[in-house]
Amino acid sequence: MHAPELTLDAAIRDAGSTRLEARSKAVRNLAPALLEDRGMTGPAWRAADDHDRGNEVIAALRRALDEADDPTLPRLAAVGLGLIGDPDVVERVEPWLERSGDAEQDVFARECAVIALSFVGACAPETPDGERMRAHVRWRLERALRAEPPDVRFQAGVALVEVAGEDAEGAIVDALEREEHAEVRENLVAALARLDPPGPRACAALRRVVQADPEGVDAAAFEAALALTAARHPDGGSRLVAALHRRPQRDSALEALAVLGRSAPPEAIEHADRLMRSVWTPGVTRVRAAYALARMLATRDAESNAGDRMLRRLAWHPRAAVREAVTDARAALRRLRHDTT
């Protein structure tokens, strides 16, 4: 939830402004301002119910749902109503998911519909009414995984995890196995990575994504390797090694290889050592490489560990950011060694 730009009183006042710009800003801030006034974070179920001005907030947002002057305002209002857990918004936004077309407003409408649905479903309470609402939202998001517009499928996976948690695993795995759109596949992998931890079926699907990318060019395969690593499965190790040759992925790959430690592929040691020693490697990346190497070598004696030795050298680096990274890395190594003694 973003911090409100207006106080609640100001947002309610400006929601009735004749100036479209002021009205838009107010609609965007009504829900966050209400939550801040209540000391709550969103999404929160029926957050307006127990507030003195809650009825005014709901009324202003519902008026904005019918706004005709600017098609953006109804979308912002729907997200706001979802954020404060108004269940009536679900019926209003469901038709937006059926909109076709690639125009910016069509895409924005579908995106906001998914967001509003996920907010309401995620905060629905464990009461009969709440459980019915969560089940309905879950069903709607599972349908969205088969929607024709790829932007809906892109949004739906992560939203489903927010609503259904580990129960979303089967639907997302099924969607991943039939999905051909590269960006949607990447986001479905990101949805599986949000499971804590991914279950056996999810891990099997992630392995298949990694194995289908022997050349190391698929972004979804890299995300799958990271997710497997977070679940303490070493099967994505070879893909992480391949990522060391790709500058945008290098730092994340080094952090993941550090997590694998001695379970990392043997060739990762050579690549991390090369990155660590090269003067052409950015300083913070050299720190990450040294830290990963220290964990992959896994020697208890810091004097005999090449990664530890490089961290001591980099502690004198002229850049403060590098020195701070070294401090953090050495502290983490001390904790790990202490915990395993």
Side-chain angles (χ1 to χ4, degrees), residues 157-195:
V158 172
L160 185 59
V161 171
E162 295 295 326
V163 172
E166 63 184 18
D167 292 335
E169 179 176 327
I172 296 173
V173 169
D174 290 342
L176 178 61
E177 290 178 345
R178 64 176 177 265
E179 185 59 61
E180 297 181 357
H181 192 286
E183 292 181 7
V184 178
R185 283 178 58 80
E186 186 176 352
N187 224 36
L188 289 170
V189 168
L192 291 177
R194 286 176 176 244
L195 300 173

Side-chain angles (χ1 to χ4, degrees), residues 78-79 82-83 110-120 141 155 159:
V79 171
L83 190 61
R110 294 191 294 257
E111 177 185 8
C112 290
V114 173
I115 293 171
L117 286 167
S118 67
F119 281 165
V120 173
L141 291 174
Q155 295 278 341

Side-chain angles (χ1 to χ4, degrees), residues 5-312:
E5 306 163 275
L6 299 173
T7 64
L8 181 58
D9 289 344
I12 292 173
R13 179 198 68 214
D14 290 352
S17 173
T18 57
R19 293 175 51 244
L20 181 59
E21 182 181 354
R23 218 158 60 242
S24 178
K25 185 174 182 179
V27 168
R28 191 169 63 246
N29 283 276
L30 280 165
L34 174 69
L35 291 171
E36 183 177 76
D37 204 60
R38 293 200 59 186
M40 302 170 68
T41 57
W45 182 255
R46 293 188 177 275
D49 285 2
D50 299 321
H51 192 280
D52 291 343
R53 308 201 69 182
N55 288 337
E56 295 175 82
V57 170
I58 292 289
L61 288 171
R62 288 179 179 172
R63 283 197 305 272
L65 271 178
D66 298 318
E67 176 73 47
D69 292 345
D70 182 353
T72 299
L73 276 182
R75 319 311 176 208
L76 297 176
V79 171
L81 287 165
L83 190 61
I84 56 176
D86 177 21
D88 292 340
V89 74
V90 170
E91 185 177 358
R92 292 295 303 271
V93 302
E94 283 182 298
W96 298 358
L97 291 175
E98 307 303 327
R99 293 176 63 136
S100 59
D102 298 326
E104 182 179 349
Q105 284 301 330
D106 293 322
V107 174
F108 189 47
R110 294 191 294 257
E111 177 185 8
C112 290
V114 173
I115 293 171
L117 286 167
S118 67
F119 281 165
V120 173
C123 70
E126 294 180 359
T127 62
D129 285 346
E131 293 293 350
R132 281 192 290 272
M133 177 56 69
R134 183 180 291 109
H136 177 76
V137 170
R138 175 180 171 181
W139 167 80
R140 200 64 187 79
L141 291 174
E142 287 177 350
R143 280 189 60 193
L145 288 171
R146 292 181 175 274
E148 182 177 348
D151 56 271
V152 176
R153 303 196 306 274
F154 180 89
Q155 295 278 341
V158 172
L160 185 59
V161 171
E162 295 295 326
V163 172
E166 63 184 18
D167 292 335
E169 179 176 327
I172 296 173
V173 169
D174 290 342
L176 178 61
E177 290 178 345
R178 64 176 177 265
E179 185 59 61
E180 297 181 357
H181 192 286
E183 292 181 7
V184 178
R185 283 178 58 80
E186 186 176 352
N187 224 36
L188 289 170
V189 168
L192 291 177
R194 286 176 176 244
L195 300 173
D196 188 21
R201 192 174 173 210
C203 287
L206 292 169
R207 289 189 196 98
R208 288 193 290 274
V209 173
V210 171
Q211 291 163 0
D213 182 42
E215 302 300 321
V217 296
D218 183 6
F222 179 61
E223 294 299 324
L226 294 177
L228 286 168
T229 301
R232 297 301 191 269
H233 289 285
D235 304 327
S238 59
R239 182 61 182 81
L240 297 175
V241 173
L244 296 179
H245 300 288
R246 299 180 178 276
R247 189 177 295 273
Q249 298 177 348
R250 184 178 296 162
D251 285 357
S252 296
L254 286 169
E255 292 176 359
L257 288 167
V259 171
L260 290 180
R262 295 184 68 177
S263 299
E267 61 269 25
I269 293 175
E270 176 185 350
H271 289 288
D273 186 82
R274 185 180 302 118
L275 284 170
M276 176 187 76
R277 296 180 188 281
S278 173
V279 296
W280 304 110
T281 302
V284 174
T285 302
R286 293 181 72 188
V287 173
R288 289 194 174 102
Y291 175 70
L293 185 62
R295 290 194 60 174
M296 288 188 287
L297 294 174
T299 57
R300 297 190 183 281
D301 178 12
E303 293 297 327
S304 63
N305 190 305
D308 283 277
R309 291 199 300 271
M310 180 57 73
L311 287 174
R312 288 198 296 276

